[in-house]
Amino acid sequence: MDALKQLIRDVPDFPKPGILFKDITTLLRDAGGLRSAIDCLAEPYREARLDKVVGIESRGFIFGAAVADRLGVGFVPVRKPGKLPAATHSASYALEYGTDTLEMHRDALGPGQRVLVVDDLLATGGTARAAVNLVRECGAEVAGVAFLIELEALNGRAQLPDEQLFTVLRY
Ligand code: AMP
């Protein structure tokens, strides 16, 4: 895990003052690091009988699609508003200032399907909370929520009290 942590670059004051941004592009460009990150995210779900992996725009697409392929299941994108072409469900969530919205195709998941939600990083938890709500709106079951990185001080887990959370790297 220390080897993976060393591949993640800390960028202070991005995208605004006071934020310490966890830059995963330095991990993605390293062949061994990329494979190991995907291995770590997929491994706990080998026997989970998943039907789909849902990835959150945009870094959740990179890990989510790779995890889906590794587990032999399909991938469903959760996107920012106005990007998905067919009929969508949408879920809004609070930001520090104002709100944001995420969308998912209404026909992307079916009732009873078992779904893993994947994103790169758990901060305050609002983004993942909205994605979980979208999965449930389709009648599907959230079998787990997985992140490469958890920023523990921001207590994102409080937003997801009933979910099975898995995080590879904790800070
Ligand atoms: P939150 O909704 O607060 O849990 O924020 C999670 C989303 O914001 C994820 O999709 C992350 O990619 C991004 N994010 C939040 N904080 C950071 C950070 N310090 N470094 C990198 N990405 C972050």
Side-chain angles (χ1 to χ4, degrees):
M1 295 308 155
D2 278 355
L4 273 184
K5 278 191 172 178
Q6 279 168 15
L7 289 169
I8 294 167
R9 172 164 57 191
D10 284 347
V11 182
D13 301 319
F14 183 89
K16 51 187 181 185
I19 306 276
L20 182 62
F21 194 84
K22 294 289 179 191
D23 177 16
I24 55 148
T25 64
T26 40
L27 180 150
L28 296 175
R29 75 187 185 201
D30 184 281
L34 176 62
R35 172 162 298 168
S36 161
I38 296 162
D39 283 345
C40 289
L41 281 166
E43 195 49 43
Y45 303 101
R46 291 239 169 254
E47 312 295 328
R49 296 176 292 103
L50 297 176
D51 296 297
K52 296 278 186 287
V53 171
V54 165
I56 305 173
E57 185 165 359
S58 58
R59 278 159 283 157
F61 292 175
I62 301 167
F63 294 113
V67 167
D69 181 62
R70 200 64 65 87
L71 297 173
V73 302
F75 174 77
V76 171
V78 162
R79 298 211 62 180
K80 308 267 167 64
K83 303 279 189 184
L84 290 170
T88 58
H89 288 300
S90 68
S92 294
Y93 58 101
L95 298 174
E96 199 178 345
Y97 303 103
T99 64
D100 220 336
T101 301
L102 289 175
E103 295 182 342
M104 188 176 69
H105 276 145
R106 283 172 181 255
D107 62 1
L109 300 171
Q113 289 196 318
R114 286 171 57 77
V115 173
L116 173 67
V117 176
V118 172
D119 202 0
D120 67 325
L121 184 143
L122 175 63
T124 65
T127 308
R129 173 78 259 160
V132 162
N133 290 349
L134 289 171
V135 170
R136 298 237 164 84
E137 230 176 307
C138 287
E141 183 189 332
V142 179
V145 189
F147 305 87
L148 183 65
I149 300 166
E150 175 177 6
L151 303 182
E152 291 180 308
L154 297 176
N155 198 24
R157 285 175 179 267
Q159 294 281 338
L160 303 155
D162 301 321
E163 315 306 330
Q164 296 287 329
L165 294 193
F166 170 66
T167 60
V168 177
L169 306 172
R170 285 169 287 274
Y171 292 86

